[in-house]
Amino acid sequence: MYQSSKAPRGDSPVSVIGAGIAGAWQALLFAQAGHDVTLHERSDEAMTLATSHWAGGMLAPWCESEVAEPIISRLGLRALDLWRRELPDTPFNGSLVVAHARERNDFERFAKLTTGHRRLDAQALAELEPSLEGRFREGLFFADEGHVEPRRVLPKLHEKIIAAGGTIQFNSEVAPDELAGLVIDCRGLAARDDQPELRGVKGELILIETDEVSLARPVRLIHPRWPLYVIPREDNLFMLGATSIEAEDTGVSVRSALELLGAAYAVHPAFAEARIVEFGSGLRPAFPDNLPRIAVDKTRIAVNGLYRHGFLIAPALAELTLAYVERGQIDNEVMQCA
Ligand SMILES: Cc1cc2nc3c(=O)[nH]c(=O)nc-3n(C[C@H](O)[C@H](O)[C@H](O)COP(=O)(O)OP(=O)(O)OC[C@H]3O[C@@H](n4cnc5c(N)ncnc54)[C@H](O)[C@@H]3O)c2cc1C
């Protein structure tokens, strides 16, 4: 899987472009390794221009293996260790997959396609998530999965970059060509000028607030038409997500809103009384094969195509990039060298 090559190691400054989840992890690991890192971000601290701002933040390599390639699980499993190491307060209390009785076949299919879970009967389910008592006959519990709240974790990562000696320049829109030294391009979909095969896959979400339901972990509802997850946030907030649409417009369609809200109601009728706090959408940066890529061209490295797994895999991609720069190590599954 690995081979060695001549990499651009040395003491030259490292510029990372884009402070979303990909760039934040790159800047952090390079700064911790003693490099002189500057992270440029065109957005302000609120990071609303980043897809990462709109994400669910699930760290779910086992659930995702239902649809994702094995490389995502490999990177994801390594990344879980890095999340634990850098942000030890990251909740790793698992995730839950449930289905109504009429979706039993799809539920069994999901169970067959994934590992890392154990089956819960109705009683065990209710012990784990009391709010779901009486709602489902069984569930799958993925005990080792975690989740982060993107809008809280990005600032934490940014703080850690500064604590490690790095610099962050917000409101700083730069082009890779105008920077000296090693440039790590993590511009997400904005990197299409260099990587025209990138496309955006739209994901819509709704944020709701209620104190009538309490969940400790993300809950995925299996459904043939509108699979949904509900992710608990602080302050009685829940994120309902997410659609996956081959389109690059913004906003939330009436159809998606109906489906997301309908599915939430199917998880728990008390969600019907929740207050809608926000509708939002983001474009997941994806290559045609939906796999991530670290593209190396001398002193320019582009890390992109994180698609629906940015939070899950960004730490592992940063570790691979650092291993390349410091030791010339190449991961043939993820890296492309010009
Ligand atoms: C609704 C939704 C739910 C999701 N849920 C999950 C989930 O549960 N788990 C998971 O792992 N992933 C999830 N994802 C996927 C994840 O959000 C993406 O994979 C990830 O955000 C991509 O990160 P990125 O850093 O590559 O891109 P971005 O987050 O878009 O970051 C790129 C940054 O570059 C900046 N930039 C662009 N051009 C310039 C420039 N010229 N100069 C300076 N800065 C620039 C942008 O402003 C932006 O901040 C979800 C996505 C969506 C839309």
Side-chain angles (χ1 to χ4, degrees):
M1 198 175 301
Y2 294 110
Q3 69 187 58
S4 275
S5 95
K6 198 164 156 17
R9 82 206 70 199
D11 304 324
S12 63
V14 177
S15 301
V16 181
I17 314 179
I21 196 64
W25 271 98
Q26 295 281 340
L28 177 60
L29 294 198
F30 274 80
Q32 287 178 338
H35 293 266
D36 174 12
V37 173
T38 304
L39 174 57
H40 296 271
E41 169 54 49
R42 67 179 174 180
S43 187
D44 61 17
E45 280 89 340
M47 293 294 296
T48 48
L49 296 177
T51 299
S52 303
H53 178 78
W54 304 100
M58 289 181 296
L59 309 176
W62 291 280
C63 277
E64 286 297 317
S65 66
E66 182 218 0
V67 285
E69 300 280 333
I71 176 69
I72 300 301
S73 303
R74 172 165 78 85
L75 295 171
L77 289 179
R78 174 60 194 146
L80 296 191
D81 291 339
L82 296 169
W83 277 110
R84 283 198 179 91
R85 185 184 84 190
E86 295 303 328
L87 292 170
D89 57 350
T90 303
F92 275 97
N93 53 358
S95 49
L96 204 52
V97 173
V98 293
H100 289 293
R102 60 185 174 276
E103 264 74 66
R104 174 141 200 118
N105 288 346
D106 290 321
F107 178 81
E108 288 304 331
R109 189 181 154 275
F110 193 99
K112 215 177 272 171
L113 289 174
T114 54
T115 59
H117 56 72
R118 71 184 152 85
R119 278 175 192 265
L120 304 182
D121 61 15
Q123 192 187 336
L125 196 60
E127 276 162 22
L128 197 69
E129 291 290 359
S131 278
L132 298 185
E133 181 168 9
R135 301 287 313 143
F136 301 95
R137 268 194 251 159
E138 60 180 338
L140 297 174
F141 181 40
F142 293 78
D144 296 325
E145 297 194 328
H147 65 283
V148 293
E149 191 162 338
R151 296 178 191 182
R152 291 181 189 262
V153 95
L154 282 174
K156 277 192 200 168
L157 289 170
H158 295 162
E159 271 170 33
K160 285 181 72 77
I161 292 163
I162 292 164
T167 304
I168 306 184
Q169 292 183 7
F170 288 101
N171 302 304
S172 171
E173 182 159 357
V174 292
D177 287 343
E178 61 191 63
L179 299 166
L182 178 66
V183 177
I184 305 179
D185 181 353
C186 299
R187 288 178 293 153
L189 207 51
R192 265 204 290 216
D193 52 357
D194 273 340
Q195 296 179 296
E197 66 277 37
L198 278 170
R199 73 185 198 288
V201 180
K202 184 177 174 183
E204 297 154 296
L205 62 113
I206 304 178
L207 210 57
I208 60 174
E209 181 193 9
T210 177
D211 59 7
E212 291 189 24
V213 184
S214 164
L215 296 174
R217 53 186 59 74
V219 176
R220 294 183 189 229
L221 177 70
I222 306 265
H223 191 280
R225 287 192 311 286
W226 19 270
L228 160 110
Y229 50 78
V230 182
I231 307 178
R233 303 280 198 228
E234 284 184 17
D235 305 326
N236 298 330
L237 293 172
F238 297 85
M239 175 186 160
L240 312 178
T243 56
S244 188
I245 300 174
E246 292 290 340
E248 295 198 355
D249 61 316
T250 53
V252 178
S253 72
V254 170
R255 174 200 294 265
S256 297
L258 287 170
E259 289 178 356
L260 290 170
L261 293 169
Y265 183 73
V267 169
H268 201 298
F271 280 129
E273 305 304 325
R275 196 169 64 90
I276 295 176
V277 176
E278 186 180 330
F279 289 98
S281 69
L283 295 177
R284 306 173 179 96
F287 288 116
D289 58 6
N290 291 337
L291 295 179
R293 193 182 297 166
I294 300 173
V296 181
D297 186 0
K298 300 190 185 77
T299 57
R300 276 179 55 177
I301 301 179
V303 181
N304 218 319
L306 279 67
Y307 183 45
R308 51 183 283 159
H309 304 116
F311 284 78
L312 176 60
I313 63 176
L317 294 177
E319 191 177 55
L320 291 178
T321 311
L322 185 63
Y324 170 73
V325 170
E326 297 212 319
R327 301 189 293 282
Q329 195 171 303
I330 294 176
D331 183 311
N332 288 320
E333 257 188 303
V334 187
M335 290 184 150
Q336 282 185 358
C337 298

